[in-house]
Amino acid sequence: MPGHIIHGFSKLSRSEKLTWLRDQEKLSEAALAHLNGHLHPDPKLQGIYEEISENNVSNYYLPLGLAPNFLINGILRTVPMVTEESSVIAAASHAAKFWAMHGGFHAEVLGILKNGQIHFTWSGSERELHNAFAMIKEELLQSVESITRRMEERGGGVESLEIRAMGPALAGFYQLFVTFRTAEAMGANFINSVLETMAGKFSSLMKEKGPGGILEIIMSILSNYTPDCRVNCHVEGDTHIFDPLVPTMTGEEFARKFMNAVQVAIHDPYRAVTHNKGIFNGMDAVILATGNDFRAVEACGHAFASRNGTYSSLSNVELSNGQFRFSLETPLAVGTIGGTTTIHPLAGASLEILGHPTAEQLMEVVAATGLASNFSALRSLITTGIQRGHMKMHLGNILRQLKATPVESEMIRSHFRDRTVSYAEASSLLESIRNQNPKQ
Ligand code: MEV
């Protein structure tokens, strides 16, 4: 076995961790310099980052960019976005500006219920279980009062609880399905604390007062599938608004081709995954900027995209009598207080950029950014193709990879002013520049 198992790694100081890493992984001096060079100069801020997750030895920077001109329900917002992919923010900004001039985004929160489950097995009959549950339900709710009191003051709390049988495929398996309101918080810790406390009480009450079967708790955990915490966002207008977009197409032709592209994503999972990925390009960037949980939002969105049995597009287009309506409906469990949203200084700054939105307003902003990203991607795909804009934005990264000097970079940039960028062409161009000017 190469290397050796280390015990107590988490107890080592940062420099001891790096010494171990250098020996274990034969890390280059350059990599070590990067790890050391990305610490925050302010020890107080560095301390905050070090408390966010474990075993850290550095900070991982990603750019935070701004997409201005997002007119959402009549309010003009600047949207902070964190992403590693060039062209995502530019694309969202273009779409935001276009739609700001045509009525903006119309967003509506369709529900804010979150949920969690206490999974268990029960040896008795389903009828006895339901009867016993009806008898102890109030006591179960009382058992979590100390946890729910503060949330209730903020307008949240436990909304409902019910027993659900897992069905014939998993006989004897049940769940206590609990729904929650979590006010301005995403609420994961709140939900899990309620569920774990309630599970303990459930088990003891069934022993004490139940009809005499065996109840075994399997696990208690929130569900990240939150179809009842959902937002809809749409843009609409006469197809003539697209007339100036593409010199070779009328607005009507553009709208029809756009609708065809969405139809493909609705009916073909291979295309739907890429289509939805483009939506998440925008949504994840806002989720990250505001310190929310992008894994939860992604997992939930993809499950929702499969709700009819086949993975499909999250967005839709309607086109009739020259009227175009493009919409996105997706579950989104986000918060504006608690967790990383409160701890990470840049999440705080992002929320301030957004004007301190409520959780529901943040849902609307995230959905609008997803719809904007989707609009821009489809607009490119059905006209110039995606590479033209994308590679233009990516050119800086290519020049950096090729270690082009500022003079060489300028020559290559001007070469690509009216052409689609490619790595191969940039690389051979650089080679020929260097061959012609060996000293540059
Ligand atoms: C690239 O990150 C996203 C796109 O592939 C999305 C799409 O195809 O709709 C451009």
Side-chain angles (χ1 to χ4, degrees), residues 85-88 271 274-279 281 373-374 377-378 381 386 390:
E85 185 172 334
S86 42
S87 84
V88 164
R271 173 57 202 153
T274 320
H275 176 97
N276 289 345
K277 187 271 185 187
I279 293 173
N281 272 346
S373 301
N374 196 205
L378 292 170
L381 286 169
I386 207 71
H390 178 75

Side-chain angles (χ1 to χ4, degrees), residues 35-56:
L35 292 172
N36 285 321
H38 284 74
L39 297 177
H40 201 287
D42 179 342
K44 235 165 102 192
L45 285 174
Q46 181 54 32
I48 293 176
Y49 294 123
E50 286 175 10
E51 277 174 18
I52 288 179
S53 59
E54 308 75 38
N55 288 348
N56 57 74

Side-chain angles (χ1 to χ4, degrees), residues 29-108:
E29 286 305 318
L32 279 171
H34 282 311
L35 292 172
N36 285 321
H38 284 74
L39 297 177
H40 201 287
D42 179 342
K44 235 165 102 192
L45 285 174
Q46 181 54 32
I48 293 176
Y49 294 123
E50 286 175 10
E51 277 174 18
I52 288 179
S53 59
E54 308 75 38
N55 288 348
N56 57 74
V57 287
S58 189
N59 303 313
Y60 189 107
Y61 291 4
L62 281 177
L64 186 155
L66 299 177
N69 300 319
F70 264 91
L71 182 65
I72 306 170
N73 293 345
I75 300 174
L76 201 54
R77 293 184 192 274
T78 303
V79 176
M81 299 175 77
V82 171
T83 180
E84 90 299 348
E85 185 172 334
S86 42
S87 84
V88 164
I89 299 178
S93 305
H94 279 140
K97 190 160 131 200
F98 175 81
W99 284 108
M101 293 186 299
H102 299 287
F105 296 84
H106 309 277
E108 185 189 3

Side-chain angles (χ1 to χ4, degrees), residues 158-269:
V158 175
E159 182 77 8
S160 67
L161 60 166
E162 66 181 42
I163 299 279
R164 291 185 180 179
M166 294 288 273
L170 218 48
F173 282 66
Y174 299 87
Q175 56 183 262
L176 200 53
F177 190 89
V178 191
T179 54
F180 299 87
R181 287 178 194 274
T182 58
E184 305 309 327
M186 190 259 191
N189 283 331
F190 166 72
I191 294 175
N192 288 334
S193 300
V194 167
L195 292 172
E196 288 186 3
T197 304
M198 196 180 266
K201 190 70 177 176
F202 187 37
S203 177
S204 64
L205 282 175
M206 285 296 282
K207 248 187 229 131
E208 217 179 287
K209 302 186 173 176
I214 298 168
L215 182 140
E216 192 175 71
I217 302 287
I218 302 170
M219 60 187 162
S220 310
I221 184 75
L222 92 170
S223 170
N224 285 121
Y225 188 46
T226 56
D228 296 322
C229 185
R230 202 165 81 243
V231 59
N232 185 297
C233 181
H234 77 269
V235 286
E236 60 190 356
D238 190 289
T239 54
H240 287 309
I241 62 175
F242 302 130
D243 284 341
L245 283 190
V246 194
T248 53
M249 276 183 203
T250 65
E252 181 73 33
E253 283 164 345
F254 175 90
R256 206 172 21 79
K257 205 165 173 197
F258 192 101
M259 186 174 72
N260 287 345
V262 175
Q263 283 299 321
V264 174
I266 289 172
H267 293 283
D268 175 40

